[in-house]
Amino acid sequence: MDENPIETDYLVIGAGAMAMAFVDTLLKETNARIVMVDRHDRAGGHWNDAYPFVRLHQPSTCYGVNSRELGSGTKDTTALNEGLYELASGAEVVSYFDQVMNQQFLPSGRVRFFPMCNYTGDRLDDHRFTSLVSGADHQVRVCKKVVDATHAQTAVPSTHPPRYRVEPGVQCVPLNDLPKIRHPYASYVVVGAGKTGIDACLWLLQNGVAPATICWIMPNDPWLIDRANVQPGLDSFERTIGGLRAQFEAIAAADSIPDLFLRLEATGQLLRLDKSVEPTVYRCATVTQAELRELRRIDNVVRLGRVRVIEPTRIVFEQGSIATSPHALHIDCSASAIPTLPEMKVFDGGKINLLMVSSCQPVFSAALIAYVESHLVDQAQMNALCKMVPAPQIPTDWIRIWAVHLGNQLRWGEHEGLSRWIKQSRLFFMTAVVRGLKETDTEKLAQLHQLSVSRQQALANLPRLLGAIA
């Protein structure tokens, strides 16, 4: 063990997107010294393990850290995201975080980064980590708090092997390996219907694979968000604000959970792949109408539950089996990207848990937590401002997320300093939507007022809808 402990104000376990957003704000708002420890050789967390063709599912302009723009702020003019704001590629995201670390954090003289290291402490009083390369052990003396940035660990197929059994003779790869294909296969079997499954199907189709040769195994159908409804900028103002208002009006008017989802679908706020199949999951995944049309070209969709075993000539499910072939390429997309977490506090004594406190906005959540840590001292008040938003898993989480998110927003508005910071935060989606709005634009200001009225009406009906959830 290192006889000379490393002394720091904050020890941040992890250097993924949320950790980077937290540290960025902490550096701006305080004079704290920070140590960051991560198992990867550079910042970016799971983005270092993601598949080569991965892209953000949200506009780049609202991702990353507050102090540095990601992307060029332009719209795509080709492919399936045409007309919408750019989505950074995985390579761009990794490069971005690498630049933030090496051009901002480290030159500040207040951040020390220990890559390729595994934290082995207890997250309470005993803080230590070990190099995965040299084996050297280091002890850390934390003067203020330890920050656990590992709760949002995103599971990707390259690091999480399938839970089902794959027998000898079966060609099964994580979708990371798709760009390594060197010859055509007789057929392609995509296992999984989440973001990775969608991306795998779109990649195959965009590379000329005939839809008839694709089998899509879909254990659960997802509710999806129309990406055109969540665009930043005044040029998208009417559609974005109108979409939020439609969601609030659906909450206010719904007399049951099924009625709520029918209203959301009728107004285009939620989409599904097959209108004859009731979705059973919700993960905040977005698609464009063009992507949805592409996905609907795949007719061979198998809904027999989760895969249990893939044999050379048969795939066995929870609810039956189908034929396959030794000449088929099976593409594993079954890793659950968003972990299910128990209810916990963000501020827990000497520990900070980086959790989502804003709807489907992890990096903004982390930055906001850092601001609260920097300016408040009463943990009860701090936790009231940062109530944990549940990770999206099942459809009813849509309403649970809104309930917590709206409650947090009301309390943010009552804190002058935090409210002012949020209005300047580029990571907060609404900041990006209203950026450049002038006092003379009475029509848009009227729409914001109508949105506020709809939100109040939604808040009034939320308890009834929450009570209807078993």
Side-chain angles (χ1 to χ4, degrees):
M1 178 59 63
D2 190 347
E3 295 180 356
N4 299 305
I6 299 166
E7 188 170 293
T8 188
D9 295 316
Y10 292 88
L11 169 61
V12 181
I13 308 169
M18 291 187 75
M20 296 293 284
F22 175 90
V23 170
D24 178 74
T25 297
L26 198 67
L27 280 174
K28 187 177 189 307
E29 302 295 332
T30 73
N31 293 316
R33 300 164 300 165
I34 303 161
V35 166
M36 301 181 75
V37 177
D38 195 272
R39 296 176 182 175
H40 295 91
D41 71 337
R42 55 183 174 177
H46 83 277
W47 287 103
N48 288 286
D49 305 313
Y51 41 103
F53 52 92
V54 68
R55 287 190 174 274
L56 286 172
H57 263 218
Q58 67 180 69
S60 303
T61 188
C62 296
Y63 196 77
V65 302
N66 257 328
S67 67
R68 192 181 189 110
E69 294 284 341
L70 172 59
S72 60
T74 59
K75 291 184 178 182
D76 287 336
T77 57
T78 59
L80 299 176
N81 197 55
E82 183 179 358
L84 304 182
Y85 280 93
E86 63 181 333
L87 309 172
S89 68
E92 288 177 292
V93 174
V94 170
S95 175
Y96 168 88
F97 283 127
D98 192 51
Q99 291 172 29
V100 171
M101 177 64 75
N102 290 292
Q103 297 176 11
Q104 294 178 222
F105 288 9
L106 299 182
S108 74
R110 293 192 284 132
V111 176
R112 297 180 68 184
F113 179 41
F114 294 87
M116 296 301 293
C117 287
N118 183 38
Y119 177 84
T120 55
D122 62 7
R123 286 172 166 76
L124 297 172
D125 303 307
D126 180 25
H127 304 299
R128 61 188 71 198
F129 61 87
T130 303
S131 169
L132 297 172
V133 180
S134 69
D137 294 319
H138 300 275
Q139 192 167 16
V140 185
R141 183 179 294 126
V142 179
C143 299
K144 291 187 177 179
K145 294 180 182 178
V146 61
V147 181
D148 191 341
T150 66
H151 295 299
Q153 287 185 6
T154 302
V156 294
S158 64
T159 58
H160 291 69
R163 296 180 182 177
Y164 51 84
R165 191 170 81 252
V166 179
E167 293 196 346
V170 173
Q171 299 186 78
C172 184
V173 299
L175 79 163
N176 294 60
D177 290 352
L178 280 182
K180 300 176 184 177
I181 290 175
R182 293 297 175 264
H183 65 83
Y185 288 83
S187 59
Y188 297 86
V189 181
V190 177
V191 183
K195 178 181 183 295
T196 52
I198 288 172
D199 286 352
C201 289
L202 290 173
W203 188 90
L204 291 170
L205 292 167
Q206 291 299 290
N207 278 279
V209 174
T213 64
I214 300 173
C215 172
W216 193 1
I217 294 174
M218 195 173 295
N220 294 284
D221 276 65
W223 279 114
L224 301 166
I225 299 170
D226 189 334
R227 197 176 302 137
N229 292 338
V230 286
Q231 293 292 295
L234 292 179
D235 56 343
S236 305
F237 184 93
E238 283 77 11
R239 179 159 186 172
T240 300
I241 297 302
L244 286 170
R245 186 179 172 191
Q247 292 177 59
F248 292 153
E249 289 174 347
I251 294 171
D255 56 22
S256 67
I257 297 299
D259 181 41
L260 170 66
F261 282 94
L262 286 174
R263 291 173 183 271
L264 292 170
E265 185 176 30
T267 56
Q269 300 311 302
L270 289 180
L271 309 170
R272 51 177 149 176
L273 292 161
D274 187 333
K275 293 191 176 183
S276 68
V277 179
E278 184 70 22
T280 53
V281 296
Y282 170 68
R283 299 289 178 85
C284 285
T286 70
V287 293
T288 64
Q289 291 290 340
E291 288 172 335
L292 199 60
R293 286 192 294 272
E294 282 291 288
L295 294 170
R296 285 172 174 164
R297 294 171 62 204
I298 302 173
D299 293 325
N300 187 10
V301 180
V302 178
R303 297 178 172 92
L304 293 174
R306 298 187 184 280
V307 175
R308 287 182 172 174
V309 57
I310 302 181
E311 302 170 354
T313 60
R314 186 178 68 147
I315 303 176
V316 180
F317 300 86
E318 294 171 321
Q319 302 164 21
S321 64
I322 63 170
T324 188
S325 164
H327 305 294
L329 181 65
H330 302 80
I331 305 157
D332 178 54
C333 305
S334 63
S336 179
I338 303 174
T340 301
L341 299 174
E343 185 76 23
M344 66 179 83
K345 296 178 180 178
V346 168
F347 300 97
D348 189 5
K351 182 169 72 168
I352 298 174
N353 296 304
L354 290 191
L355 305 166
M356 274 204 296
V357 298
S358 182
S359 175
C360 300
Q361 296 186 86
V363 288
F364 168 71
S365 296
L368 184 142
I369 290 168
Y371 181 90
V372 171
E373 166 65 16
S374 303
H375 293 274
L376 284 80
V377 293
D378 180 78
Q379 284 212 351
Q381 183 186 10
M382 294 163 75
N383 278 318
L385 291 168
C386 298
K387 288 191 176 296
M388 174 185 171
V389 170
Q393 301 288 344
I394 58 177
T396 48
D397 286 335
W398 187 94
I399 192 69
R400 289 191 182 99
I401 288 170
W402 266 121
V404 180
H405 176 69
L406 288 176
N408 281 342
Q409 274 195 327
L410 287 175
R411 290 182 288 275
W412 299 342
E414 296 169 355
H415 189 283
E416 183 179 352
L418 178 57
S419 181
R420 184 169 55 250
W421 176 85
I422 289 172
K423 290 177 182 177
Q424 298 171 350
S425 171
R426 75 168 198 88
L427 299 179
F428 186 52
F429 178 65
M430 282 301 295
T431 298
V433 172
V434 301
R435 185 179 296 153
L437 183 62
K438 294 181 172 58
E439 293 182 1
T440 55
D441 198 336
T442 55
E443 185 177 338
K444 286 186 173 63
L445 290 172
Q447 291 179 51
L448 287 177
H449 174 71
Q450 293 170 347
L451 179 67
S452 180
V453 172
S454 299
R455 180 173 58 189
Q456 291 301 318
Q457 294 170 342
L459 282 166
N461 198 38
L462 266 173
R464 187 163 67 90
L465 290 176
L466 290 170
I469 300 174

